[in-house]
Amino acid sequence: NAGVTQTPKFQVLKTGQSMTLQCAQDMNHNSMYWYRQDPGMGLRLIYYSASEGTTDKGEVPNGYNVSRLNKREFSLRLESAAPSQTSVYFCASSEAGGRGYTFGSGTRLTVV
Amino acid sequence: QKEVEQNSGPLSVPEGAIASLNCTYSDRVSQSFFWYRQYSGKSPELIMSIYSNGDKEDGRFTAQLNKASQYVSLLIRDSQPSDSATYLCAVANNNDMRFGAGTRLTVKP
């Protein structure tokens, strides 16, 4: 099993450009999440999807949008990238809310 | 005020010793508690979950939860150099899981 697969692994964007981070899981999990990790600040929740067809804002949603395309896939879109969005982005999934997560390998994004 | 607080470390222990990692949280309605291990440049990996007060043991790892004191801890017995990593405490209320900034542990041979 691949678990949680994220693409791309690395990306450099110019300020104002847009991009979509892709995430797919093959564990039949109901819930999926997007986090960003910045030095000294830990992981912060951007958006989550408790089940197929639903999405909700997390702690730091501004500047991002998400789509739960189907049960397997949950994408994160940056419409107009800003330097403050330079970070490592992790997708995660779980059987349900309140259960432990399986994380993808991460996307290291730099906005210049 | 941070919602999940951990000592950032670094915590250094000799090989074979017990490593003790601590975490406090502010949200009293939290229901689920986790410890993740993160090696440098890698993604977090779930190592322990605990849902009720008391101790939970899994191999060399023991998680301890005290909801009244809003305190979670992780003990690593017989620490090995391969345990050197950052340990993240996480606290969840349904789909809202909050993470501490992590404690960096170094196990010296």
Side-chain angles (χ1 to χ4, degrees), chain B residues 29-50:
Chain B
V29 301
S30 299
Q31 301 162 339
S32 311
F33 306 85
F34 306 91
W35 285 97
Y36 291 82
R37 177 176 61 201
Q38 187 173 26
Y39 293 112
S40 181
K42 302 296 185 182
S43 58
E45 173 192 11
L46 179 68
I47 55 172
M48 289 290 287
S49 58
I50 186 165

Side-chain angles (χ1 to χ4, degrees), chain A:
Chain A
N1 283 343
V4 179
T5 302
Q6 283 184 242
T7 56
K9 293 190 183 304
F10 300 94
Q11 184 71 48
V12 179
L13 290 179
K14 294 182 179 179
T15 298
Q17 286 185 318
S18 63
M19 78 163 296
T20 299
L21 282 64
Q22 306 287 353
C23 176
Q25 53 92 8
D26 62 2
M27 296 171 287
N28 201 35
H29 283 172
N30 290 306
S31 303
M32 298 185 74
Y33 311 85
W34 278 105
Y35 281 83
R36 60 177 289 173
Q37 186 172 38
D38 302 292
M41 299 191 72
L43 289 152
R44 291 181 292 168
L45 181 63
I46 304 171
Y47 271 94
Y48 68 93
S49 171
S51 61
E52 185 178 355
T54 68
T55 61
D56 284 287
K57 295 179 180 180
E59 186 183 0
V60 289
N62 291 344
Y64 305 96
N65 285 299
V66 291
S67 295
R68 183 76 182 265
L69 304 170
N70 47 56
K71 190 171 186 178
R72 292 186 63 248
E73 298 173 285
F74 187 39
S75 63
L76 177 72
R77 183 161 178 83
L78 286 70
E79 291 290 353
S80 179
S84 61
Q85 295 178 305
T86 293
S87 187
V88 180
Y89 291 84
F90 287 104
C91 177
S93 70
S94 68
E95 290 180 10
R99 302 288 187 91
Y101 293 172
T102 300
F103 282 87
S105 58
T107 296
R108 188 172 296 273
L109 175 67
T110 302
V111 183
V112 297

